[in-house]
Amino acid sequence: MSTTTTTTTTTVLSGSSQNNDASYVPRGPVEAELTFYVPPADGTTPFNYVEKPPEGQPERNFREALHKVQLTDIRGREDEYTLDRDAFQVLRNVPSATTYETFNSDDDIQRVYYPEVEKLLLDTVPGAHRVIIFDHTIRRENPAAHRQPVNRAHVDQTAKAAEARVRLHVPDPAEAEELLKGRYRIINVWRPINGVVQSCPLAFASAESVDHDADLVPIEHRYPHRTGETMGVKYNPAQRWYYWSGMGNDERLLLKCSDTQEGVGKRVPHSAFVDPRTPPGARPRESIEVRALVFG
């Protein structure tokens, strides 16, 4: 009598969702495509219009290119990264009086959440003695949303824009000039508002791995009544990119956009990305970022 044994081999495809459960949270290293800056073909100063551009002008004059990047998950290694070295830092178990409904009202955000962010920065950023929150952005992964995740590697501010922010948001000109003599930073405080992030997470590159002169390019950020500056990020295979898997409502990601202190990481490139492992039916990402001047 003979016995036939059948062996079934299961192959897990790299980059594909390993779980069709809509509650699955992708974790661990992953390869994903990020969008990087390519200079204007004619060599002109790069620009981007925040609102509708003037007649005959494009929304932006620079180009973009996709590159595959290896992303390291910092989950479980959170304490290895610092604002001064990497220009990003993460915080866990952060208490909050906010609810989901808080983030449907700018007034409620400013009344309830702004004080929490101010206290968080004063308590956790070494040397900080004053915080001025100057704006926030809600992003929802929804075609109908006013602001969606930004799938483009960028930095929020240049040194020139940060200096202009001090003069713009400190009402007393003499006080502003005095503050400009000391250390000041712009820090973006990022968090989800609708639970654990499964889709469209945020990637960020350690400042230590970025060639700030070669990789980062100032871009005119044109508002109707003034012009600020952001930074485009050129692709460089030496850059080390990370993400924090499954960020929850009680976790905060601090992204430094500018710093006047010498000898530290000054700014962190970042971008949303499409995680190829996100399962069908996953919760679309909703998040808030609050930007603040931090003095000291």
Side-chain angles (χ1 to χ4, degrees), residues 77-180:
R77 301 169 50 199
E78 290 90 345
D79 295 337
E80 297 180 18
Y81 307 95
T82 67
L83 277 175
D84 274 352
R85 186 184 65 241
D86 303 289
F88 73 85
Q89 187 171 323
V90 301
L91 303 170
R92 292 162 288 178
N93 303 315
V94 178
S96 178
T98 60
T99 65
Y100 181 75
E101 286 69 30
T102 303
F103 300 103
N104 290 325
S105 163
D106 284 344
D107 288 342
D108 287 345
I109 291 169
Q110 293 172 19
R111 178 178 57 83
V112 179
Y113 189 51
Y114 274 23
E116 293 183 0
V117 172
E118 180 179 1
K119 184 177 187 304
L120 183 76
L121 291 170
L122 288 170
D123 289 348
T124 60
V125 178
H129 61 77
R130 183 177 177 184
V131 171
I132 298 176
I133 296 173
F134 59 83
D135 73 9
H136 68 269
T137 302
I138 297 282
R139 299 191 188 279
R140 291 185 164 96
E141 192 185 359
N142 182 331
H146 178 60
R147 303 289 289 273
Q148 297 187 52
V150 177
N151 291 286
R152 182 175 68 254
H154 65 285
V155 175
D156 292 354
Q157 308 280 338
T158 63
K160 178 182 175 182
E163 181 178 334
R165 284 283 181 188
V166 175
R167 293 195 170 96
L168 181 64
H169 300 297
V170 177
D172 182 349
E175 183 184 15
E177 294 306 315
E178 193 62 31
L179 288 168
L180 286 168

Side-chain angles (χ1 to χ4, degrees), residues 84-292:
D84 274 352
R85 186 184 65 241
D86 303 289
F88 73 85
Q89 187 171 323
V90 301
L91 303 170
R92 292 162 288 178
N93 303 315
V94 178
S96 178
T98 60
T99 65
Y100 181 75
E101 286 69 30
T102 303
F103 300 103
N104 290 325
S105 163
D106 284 344
D107 288 342
D108 287 345
I109 291 169
Q110 293 172 19
R111 178 178 57 83
V112 179
Y113 189 51
Y114 274 23
E116 293 183 0
V117 172
E118 180 179 1
K119 184 177 187 304
L120 183 76
L121 291 170
L122 288 170
D123 289 348
T124 60
V125 178
H129 61 77
R130 183 177 177 184
V131 171
I132 298 176
I133 296 173
F134 59 83
D135 73 9
H136 68 269
T137 302
I138 297 282
R139 299 191 188 279
R140 291 185 164 96
E141 192 185 359
N142 182 331
H146 178 60
R147 303 289 289 273
Q148 297 187 52
V150 177
N151 291 286
R152 182 175 68 254
H154 65 285
V155 175
D156 292 354
Q157 308 280 338
T158 63
K160 178 182 175 182
E163 181 178 334
R165 284 283 181 188
V166 175
R167 293 195 170 96
L168 181 64
H169 300 297
V170 177
D172 182 349
E175 183 184 15
E177 294 306 315
E178 193 62 31
L179 288 168
L180 286 168
K181 294 176 184 178
R183 184 182 187 181
Y184 59 92
R185 288 161 272 191
I186 291 182
I187 296 176
N188 177 338
V189 181
W190 195 100
R191 59 159 285 189
I193 62 175
N194 67 330
V196 173
V197 174
Q198 298 173 263
S199 176
C200 210
L202 196 70
F204 35 92
S206 170
E208 198 177 38
S209 70
V210 176
D211 185 329
H212 286 243
D213 293 326
D215 296 353
L216 305 181
V217 180
I219 297 173
E220 290 186 354
H221 203 52
R222 298 178 178 177
Y223 297 91
H225 304 297
R226 69 180 187 88
T227 297
E229 281 187 339
T230 61
M231 303 192 91
V233 182
K234 292 181 179 178
Y235 173 71
N236 182 338
Q239 295 165 0
R240 297 195 303 274
W241 285 86
Y242 302 87
Y243 81 109
W244 194 15
S245 67
M247 273 191 73
N249 287 355
D250 65 343
E251 297 179 318
R252 305 288 182 271
L253 172 62
L254 307 185
L255 301 166
K256 189 163 57 173
C257 307
S258 183
D259 193 342
T260 58
Q261 181 74 33
E262 293 301 322
V264 301
K266 291 184 178 293
R267 50 190 59 87
V268 57
H270 53 282
S271 172
F273 70 97
V274 175
D275 192 325
R277 304 165 300 175
T278 298
R283 178 194 303 111
R285 188 252 275 186
E286 299 184 32
S287 60
I288 183 170
E289 54 210 65
V290 175
R291 283 167 285 270

